[in-house]
Amino acid sequence: MIALVSGLVWWLIRYEPAGDDPPPSAQQENPLTSGEFDYTRVAGPEISAGCAANSYGDVVGWFRQHPCEQVHRSLYETRSQDARALVSVVVVTMPGQTGAKQLKVTTDTDGTGNVNDLVRDGTANLPGAPNVATGEYASRVVGNRLTIVETQFFADTPGSSDLLGEIAHDALRLSAAAR
């Protein structure tokens, strides 16, 4: 009986009908193109264990008291009709979920600072790049990882704050590109 069940399980695992596409759940989605907006990476990724060194404001002191495991920073561009936005995506990996949640509370509070985007710290040289910290913000904790998104329109393009907010929230999915 055990041999029969084992054989059936083995067959189910190995069986692939000829000429059929894999089921949708088995296909990998591209985080750059699988949502409301499409994104193009324009800088990064920059990966470091130095979260305090890559931050500003009160967040520097927070990281000195609560060291991170890793910070992953990238910049993306997206377009919606005539609007063009720069999007900073930072993924901070903490030793545990509690630290990620505490960091979220700190970075979500106005005036406390944040993790530097790649333009702010001079890592990326993008002429005409907007200051993403003056635009829209979104953050989310999943497990021990905090994703921080900041986005702003380029000066030469129109766009509403509602659209910018939609971009910020949609871009949270780009944390999957940081794996």
Side-chain angles (χ1 to χ4, degrees):
M1 180 68 164
I2 293 174
L4 179 63
V5 171
S6 295
L8 180 60
V9 169
W10 176 252
W11 180 81
L12 288 171
I13 292 171
R14 301 289 299 167
Y15 178 72
E16 293 182 30
D20 287 352
D21 292 328
S25 63
Q27 294 176 348
Q28 287 283 66
E29 286 190 348
N30 181 346
L32 299 178
T33 59
S34 64
E36 184 176 352
F37 302 96
D38 289 348
Y39 299 88
T40 303
R41 186 175 308 188
V42 294
E46 289 289 325
I47 302 168
S48 171
C51 289
N54 288 296
S55 301
Y56 62 95
D58 296 343
V59 175
V60 174
W62 192 93
F63 277 127
R64 288 187 179 139
Q65 297 294 315
H66 311 90
C68 74
E69 292 180 352
Q70 176 179 290
V71 60
H72 183 285
R73 303 178 299 150
S74 294
L75 288 173
Y76 301 87
E77 184 179 309
T78 190
R79 295 174 183 267
S80 178
Q81 298 175 347
D82 293 334
R84 182 171 65 119
L86 184 64
V87 181
S88 169
V89 178
V90 173
V91 180
V92 178
T93 305
M94 296 299 295
Q97 186 176 31
T98 300
K101 288 179 177 180
Q102 290 172 349
L103 177 58
K104 182 181 184 325
V105 169
T106 302
T107 59
D108 285 359
T109 304
D110 286 341
T112 59
N114 211 324
V115 178
N116 286 318
D117 66 81
L118 296 175
V119 172
R120 180 185 178 101
D121 73 0
T123 301
N125 181 13
L126 301 173
N131 179 356
V132 294
T134 64
E136 289 293 325
Y137 173 92
S139 67
R140 176 175 59 203
V141 172
V142 176
N144 66 332
R145 294 167 36 117
L146 169 63
T147 302
I148 301 167
V149 172
E150 294 178 302
T151 184
Q152 180 61 284
F153 291 118
F154 284 84
D156 61 348
T157 62
S160 70
S161 62
D162 287 344
L163 175 59
L164 203 57
E166 290 173 27
I167 292 169
H169 285 90
D170 181 67
L172 287 167
R173 70 184 157 83
L174 296 177
S175 65
R179 294 179 187 209

